[in-house]
Amino acid sequence: MDALTPDVKRRLYRSVFRLRRIEERLADLYREQTMRTPAHFGVGQEAVASGVCEALGARDVVYSHHRCHNHYLARGGKLAGLAAELYGRIDGCARGRGGSVHLTARDQGFIVSSAILGQTVAVACGSALAFRMDGVPGVAVSFFGEATCEEGVFYESLNYAAINRLPVLFVCENNLYSTESPLSVRQPAGTALTDRAAAFKVEAHQVDGNDVFEVWNAARHAVDSIRSGGGPVFLECMTYRWLEHVGPKFDHEAGRSYRSREELDHWIARCPVRHARERLLAEGLVSKAELDAWSDAVEQEIDDAVATARDSAWPDAADLFENVH
Ligand SMILES: Cc1ncc(C[n+]2csc(CCOP(=O)(O)OP(=O)(O)O)c2C)c(N)n1
Ligand SMILES: [Mg+2]
């Protein structure tokens, strides 16, 4: 199994930093009201996507949910394809028909995201079954928020995966909220999601979802175990979304009070990007000049992708009913 070498640490930092800047810049642009799609930004949750996706191999496949930008990008989906999708253009990864919640990058192993909670969990199990039937040593990864653990299909999927020892990695991003509802009104006090998974005899671990190195380590162990026939694994990654549920604002900007500014500040103090950067600097694994160069490269990448997206044509209205079943 790979170790957490200096190269891996540098790669992980570059990944979380890139996701952060892309989401921040896209959220800023979203305020111009020219992206005609609802968008669930993943600012604050980057370490889960980066840590898991960096632990995967080329054959593995990834499924996601409505908060999918980080997963798509971390798996190798092209930024230009995401940007054009947000602007509803023909060069979007779903040809401008899907919007923010329906991303795809099949060639990179990011199969699809869907806004219907739980839907892609079952489909990921189908991919895992296909790997098994074809004798392919691939792993199917399902990313979802903790509210999916309140959907029946989640338990059917866990059960089916456990019985068949399917090569699935269930990755729950527990950011404590489902839209504006906290865990306390949705789950009995003392609930541990890892216990629920364990009840189905699925190996389950809770990790600090704001520590990209810890997420990577846990995902790496899980993927190795799954690939060698150990059966499915459930990872609960504790994290927090910084922005409103859907849209580019902070909740306090929008005058919402379902969670406090103090709570947000507590989590901002545990920023996954700063945490990774400080660790690299403390361990002497990166110079300030390199950090600046990486930053310049990301800003340029974003400038180019957004310019390309905005120059892209609109889909042809005559094709509107193509692929509609
Ligand atoms: C089956 C289903 N029920 C309800 C919704 C409405 N809905 C959209 S996002 C969301 C919150 C999901 O919370 P969570 O899964 O924790 O993800 P997060 O938004 O926190 O990342 C809800 C209830 C939906 N999309 N699908
Ligand atoms: Mg949530």
Side-chain angles (χ1 to χ4, degrees):
M1 195 179 83
D2 292 352
L4 190 52
T5 59
D7 274 352
V8 174
K9 288 182 185 167
R10 285 160 56 89
R11 222 170 58 220
L12 289 169
Y13 172 70
R14 285 191 79 167
S15 177
V16 284
F17 174 74
R18 175 173 174 265
L19 299 188
R20 168 63 56 84
R21 285 304 297 144
I22 290 173
E23 284 289 76
E24 284 179 338
R25 293 269 313 269
L26 291 176
D28 279 347
L29 290 163
Y30 193 90
R31 290 171 184 258
E32 295 173 356
Q33 297 278 332
T34 50
M35 293 176 187
R36 308 311 297 175
T37 172
H40 306 77
F41 293 101
V43 178
Q45 302 188 199
E46 300 83 359
V48 182
S50 298
V52 171
C53 289
E54 289 289 337
L56 301 179
R59 282 202 193 102
D60 302 332
V61 293
V62 169
Y63 289 84
S64 179
H65 61 129
H66 53 284
R67 202 171 304 287
C68 51
H69 303 179
N70 286 339
H71 310 137
Y72 164 94
L73 292 165
R75 185 58 184 149
K78 295 199 172 48
L79 175 55
L82 168 61
E85 195 57 40
L86 296 180
Y87 282 104
R89 306 304 169 94
I90 193 74
D91 292 327
C93 61
R95 295 174 50 216
R97 288 158 178 268
S100 160
V101 294
H102 298 119
L103 303 181
T104 181
R106 288 184 88 98
D107 291 347
Q108 282 77 37
F110 181 90
I111 305 302
V112 79
S113 58
S114 162
I116 307 302
L117 303 186
Q119 190 183 46
T120 49
V121 180
V123 182
C125 291
S127 271
L129 181 62
F131 281 145
R132 160 77 45 75
M133 293 169 82
D134 292 344
V136 173
V139 172
V141 179
S142 172
F143 285 103
F144 49 90
E146 87 289 347
T148 279
C149 303
E150 291 144 29
E151 294 289 331
V153 65
F154 172 66
Y155 297 98
E156 296 174 52
S157 301
L158 274 182
N159 194 52
Y160 189 77
I163 289 172
N164 294 287
R165 296 180 77 73
L166 293 183
V168 193
L169 176 59
F170 297 101
V171 182
C172 173
E173 293 191 41
N174 190 342
N175 62 10
L176 316 177
Y177 291 87
S178 168
T179 59
E180 300 186 7
S181 302
L183 287 172
S184 57
V185 301
R186 295 156 39 213
Q187 296 173 9
T191 294
L193 295 177
T194 46
D195 287 349
R196 291 188 180 185
F200 288 84
K201 312 296 178 207
V202 171
E203 184 183 323
H205 306 280
Q206 188 186 71
V207 299
D208 179 351
N210 278 16
D211 180 339
V212 69
F213 307 119
E214 186 178 329
V215 174
W216 182 86
N217 237 338
R220 194 75 211 166
H221 275 99
V223 165
D224 276 9
S225 158
I226 294 167
R227 219 187 286 290
S228 59
V233 175
F234 174 88
L235 290 183
E236 181 189 20
C237 304
M238 304 307 296
T239 185
Y240 198 77
R241 102 178 119 72
W242 289 12
L243 302 180
E244 59 189 333
H245 167 67
V246 54
K249 295 185 183 147
F250 285 95
D251 281 311
H252 51 84
E253 275 181 86
R256 298 196 191 91
S257 57
Y258 70 95
R259 51 185 200 173
S260 68
R261 184 71 191 264
E262 290 68 36
E263 186 177 286
L264 172 65
D265 288 343
H266 166 79
W267 283 92
I268 288 179
R270 302 183 52 208
C271 171
V273 181
R274 202 179 65 226
H275 171 271
R277 182 171 56 240
E278 283 173 357
R279 179 134 166 223
L280 284 197
L281 286 167
E283 294 179 11
L285 298 180
V286 72
S287 67
K288 291 245 164 47
E290 258 180 318
L291 289 175
D292 288 344
W294 291 350
S295 171
D296 290 347
V298 171
E299 301 303 332
Q300 188 63 54
E301 181 194 3
I302 301 169
D303 289 345
D304 292 347
V306 170
T308 308
R310 286 172 148 165
D311 283 347
S312 174
W314 296 102
D316 190 341
D319 297 340
L320 190 61
F321 293 106
E322 257 182 33
N323 302 315
V324 176
H325 303 288

